[in-house]
């Protein structure tokens, strides 16, 4: 799973029980026997600090500005990690508490801010939410793209049509991609753009997307168009 470019958090849920057992046994052996303890007393604080730096970059560089309470939480978590790493002599604190604080801080920040922010770049999901609240909504179709997010958040399935079928749906709303829009234009079908959405596969993050100055180049577009009856 770690070699796959396409990842979702729930893919690893099945291994959590086994991982918990192995982790608990490893920690017990470390604290009881002391074998390898020196390495982990150094490695865990270093990993924890790197995680805090990474989440700080996401919060205050990639997707700035983050809410103020996340800044406070990050500073508290960082302070506790430094405190337990440098001023606590107990092995348990240096190995377990440092890791626990980092895990709680990072996961809270990711789940409350980073993940919801990333979802704004899933065009199908954004369009689906807007369509669900649209008044006097005409039929919605898809062309040249299948978006499960569009279907889920709109509460209905947008049938995938061919170019011939599109020509017979004046007044309908079409969710499509740039290539689809080009084919519609080539067929001489009249339309008007209702909205243009930014699109990025948020499960395949890249440095180009995480960097705000290059994000526009890393993203694709999706279009919601309305077919206009030919005059």
């Amino acid at each position: 799973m770690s070699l796959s470019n396409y990842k979702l958090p729930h893919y690893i849920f099945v291994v959590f029980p086994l991982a918990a057992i192995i982790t608990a046994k490893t920690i017990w052996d470390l604290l009881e026997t002391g074998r390898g303890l020196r390495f982990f007393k150094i490695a865990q604080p270093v990993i924890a600090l790197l995680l805090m730096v990474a989440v700080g970059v996401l919060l205050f560089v990639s997707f700035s500005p983050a809410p103020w309470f996340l800044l406070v939480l990050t500073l508290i978590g960082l302070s506790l990690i430094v405190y337990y790493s440098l001023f606590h002599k107990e092995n348990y604190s240096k190995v377990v508490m440092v890791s626990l604080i980092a895990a709680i801080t990072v996961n809270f920040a990711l789940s409350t801010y980073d993940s919801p922010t990333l979802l704004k770049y899933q065009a199908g999901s954004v369009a689906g939410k807007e369509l669900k609240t649209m008044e006097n909504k005409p039929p919605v179709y898809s062309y040249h793209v299948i978006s499960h997010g569009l279907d889920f958040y709109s509460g209905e399935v947008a049938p995938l049509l061919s170019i011939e079928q599109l020509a017979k749906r004046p007044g309908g709303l079409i969710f499509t991609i740039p290539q689809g829009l080009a084919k519609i234009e080539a067929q001489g079908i009249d339309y008007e753009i209702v909205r243009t959405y930014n699109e990025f596969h948020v499960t395949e993050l890249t440095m180009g997307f995480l960097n705000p100055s290059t994000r526009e180049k890393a993203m694709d577009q999706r279009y919601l168009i309305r077919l206009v009856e030919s005059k």
Side-chain angles (χ1 to χ4, degrees):
M1 288 188 288
S2 63
L3 296 178
S4 172
N5 288 327
Y6 189 88
K7 303 181 183 71
L8 290 174
H10 61 266
Y11 288 179
I12 63 171
F13 284 0
V14 292
V15 301
F16 277 5
L18 179 61
I21 294 172
I22 294 174
T23 301
K25 179 65 166 60
T26 302
I27 294 173
W28 179 268
D29 289 342
L30 280 173
L31 298 178
E32 285 293 308
T33 66
R35 290 195 299 269
L37 185 59
R38 172 181 252 180
F39 169 78
F40 282 98
K41 285 168 65 175
I42 298 173
Q44 290 307 108
V46 170
I47 293 172
L49 289 173
L50 290 176
L51 285 173
M52 297 298 292
V53 170
V55 79
V57 170
L58 288 175
L59 291 174
F60 307 109
V61 178
S62 295
F63 303 112
S64 178
W68 65 268
F69 68 87
L70 287 178
L71 173 61
V72 173
L73 175 69
T74 304
L75 291 176
I76 291 174
L78 186 60
S79 300
L80 289 174
I81 289 172
V82 172
Y83 171 73
Y84 279 110
S85 300
L86 300 180
F87 303 107
H88 255 246
K89 296 181 179 181
E90 294 181 4
N91 294 328
Y92 179 85
S93 298
K94 292 182 181 293
V95 175
V96 179
M97 289 302 297
V98 164
S99 304
L100 183 62
I101 293 167
I104 292 174
T105 305
V106 170
N107 279 283
F108 184 82
L110 293 178
S111 62
T112 57
Y113 181 70
D114 280 313
S115 293
T117 301
L118 285 174
L119 292 179
K120 296 178 182 178
Y121 296 95
Q122 290 195 156
S125 302
V126 177
K129 292 176 182 178
E130 294 178 353
L131 287 169
K132 190 167 186 176
T133 60
M134 183 181 293
E135 295 182 0
N136 302 318
K137 179 180 63 180
V140 181
Y141 307 100
S142 295
Y143 176 61
H144 229 277
V145 63
I146 296 176
S147 174
H148 299 298
L150 177 71
D151 297 340
F152 179 82
Y153 286 103
S154 67
E156 57 184 273
V157 176
L160 183 66
L161 301 184
S162 65
I163 193 70
E164 293 78 17
Q165 291 172 316
L166 281 184
K168 302 175 183 178
R169 302 294 197 284
L173 293 173
I174 311 298
F175 186 74
T176 189
I177 60 177
Q179 296 91 325
L181 195 64
K183 290 188 177 183
I184 291 173
E185 290 180 352
Q187 290 294 319
I189 300 174
D190 293 330
Y191 69 90
E192 59 182 10
I193 296 179
V194 177
R195 184 165 174 193
T196 301
Y197 301 92
N198 289 322
E199 164 71 16
F200 189 83
H201 292 290
V202 298
T203 55
E204 301 177 6
L205 296 178
T206 63
M207 293 304 298
F209 176 77
L210 293 175
N211 185 345
S213 63
T214 58
R215 184 169 298 151
E216 284 293 330
K217 296 180 180 178
M219 293 188 296
D220 199 357
Q221 275 71 48
R222 298 288 184 267
Y223 301 96
L224 183 66
I225 66 173
R226 187 190 307 273
L227 298 183
V228 179
E229 190 167 1
S230 301
K231 298 180 180 179

